């Protein structure tokens, strides 16, 4: 998608990526490949007891057999997804160094609230978020924040990426841990499953829109 947008704009890839992300084309490509590959890797960091379902059990009583519910409890494992949490969070921390703090805080709060509203805990999957919600919220909030701040749009891609990653992880996973505990999921991947695509697209769409705006 990014290469197609660059080709349509008639711009050099090095110029576009360097101006919007502050990274070389090779570095940006390697980071996105690492994110895609890391999406398959989850590192367990925590586990807790969570409620299970009920399993009917037949017991004899007064000459008849009756169904008796048997309470089952199990443990939920919480993991960090390498491609959807660790790598994007580290890259976002790097981008934060050159971003206006108040604009970053405002956009992150907006993305967090929006993602929290649309996120839905799903048993055995984790938290599901419509794939386009994080990137559209991040890019839209970043455009408004940079316009109001009057700092120009040179930092749009970095601001959208950082606020999109932080806001999605907080709004989808961290703030829904209580719901996940009640749902009794066996496995929860922070940055994986239902929000991984949204985090990756946040960086891609943010870069494309930033490239278009800065080329005008």
């Amino acid at each position: 998608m990014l290469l197609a947008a660059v080709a349509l704009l008639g711009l050099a890839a090095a110029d576009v990526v360097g101006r919007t992300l502050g990274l070389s084309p090779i570095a940006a490509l390697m980071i996105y490949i690492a994110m895609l590959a890391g999406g398959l890797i989850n590192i367990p960091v925590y586990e807790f007891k969570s409620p299970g379902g009920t399993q009917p059990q037949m017991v004899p009583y007064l000459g008849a057999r009756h169904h008796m519910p048997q309470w089952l409890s199990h443990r939920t494992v919480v993991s960090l997804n390498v491609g959807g949490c660790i790598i994007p969070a580290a890259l976002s921390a790097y981008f934060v160094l050159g971003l206006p703090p108040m604009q970053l805080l405002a956009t992150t709060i907006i993305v967090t609230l929006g993602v929290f509203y649309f996120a839905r805990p799903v048993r055995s999957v984790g938290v599901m978020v419509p794939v386009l919600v994080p990137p559209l919220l991040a890019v839209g909030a970043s455009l408004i924040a940079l316009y109001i701040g009057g700092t120009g749009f040179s930092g749009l891609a970095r601001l959208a990426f950082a606020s999109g990653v932080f806001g999605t992880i907080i709004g989808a996973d961290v703030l829904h841990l209580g719901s996940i505990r009640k749902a009794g999921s066996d496995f929860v991947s922070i940055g994986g499953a239902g929000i991984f695509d949204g985090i990756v697209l946040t960086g891609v769409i943010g870069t494309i829109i930033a490239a278009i705006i800065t080329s005008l």
Side-chain angles (χ1 to χ4, degrees):
M1 292 172 62
L2 179 57
L3 292 177
V6 169
L8 290 174
L9 290 170
L11 301 172
D15 182 54
V16 171
V17 178
R19 185 168 62 239
T20 56
L21 289 176
L23 301 171
S24 69
I26 297 298
L29 179 62
M30 294 302 294
I31 287 172
Y32 279 115
I33 290 176
M35 288 173 60
L36 293 175
L40 303 174
I41 304 173
N42 292 287
I43 301 177
V45 294
Y46 177 67
E47 66 177 38
F48 55 84
K49 290 183 178 180
S50 56
T54 57
Q55 179 180 348
Q57 182 182 16
M58 299 295 295
V59 295
Y61 180 68
L62 296 178
R65 297 181 64 83
H66 302 270
H67 286 283
M68 295 294 291
Q70 180 182 5
W71 179 258
L72 299 177
S73 63
H74 63 273
R75 304 188 72 84
T76 296
V77 177
V78 179
S79 299
L80 298 180
N81 187 271
V82 174
C85 178
I86 296 178
I87 295 177
L91 186 59
S92 298
Y94 169 74
F95 287 155
V96 162
L97 299 177
L99 296 176
M102 294 306 299
Q103 294 174 355
L104 174 64
L105 178 62
T107 52
T108 300
I109 291 175
I110 292 174
V111 176
T112 298
L113 295 176
V115 170
F116 178 79
Y117 176 79
F118 285 101
R120 294 293 181 269
V122 178
R123 184 179 177 86
S124 301
V125 175
V127 179
M128 298 292 294
V129 179
V131 66
L132 290 179
V133 167
L136 293 181
L137 279 174
V139 173
S142 298
L143 280 170
I144 295 174
L146 292 174
Y147 177 78
I148 294 176
T151 56
F153 298 107
S154 60
L156 173 60
R158 298 190 299 276
L159 180 59
F161 188 92
S163 62
V165 169
F166 291 144
T168 301
I169 292 175
I170 296 172
D173 286 328
V174 176
L175 296 183
H176 276 93
L177 282 178
S179 301
I180 295 172
R181 184 186 294 268
K182 294 179 181 178
S185 298
D186 298 320
F187 179 80
V188 176
S189 176
I190 296 179
I195 69 171
F196 174 77
D197 293 340
I199 288 179
V200 174
L201 282 180
T202 298
V204 174
I205 293 177
T207 304
I208 292 174
I209 293 178
I212 294 173
I213 290 178
T214 54
S215 66
L216 298 178

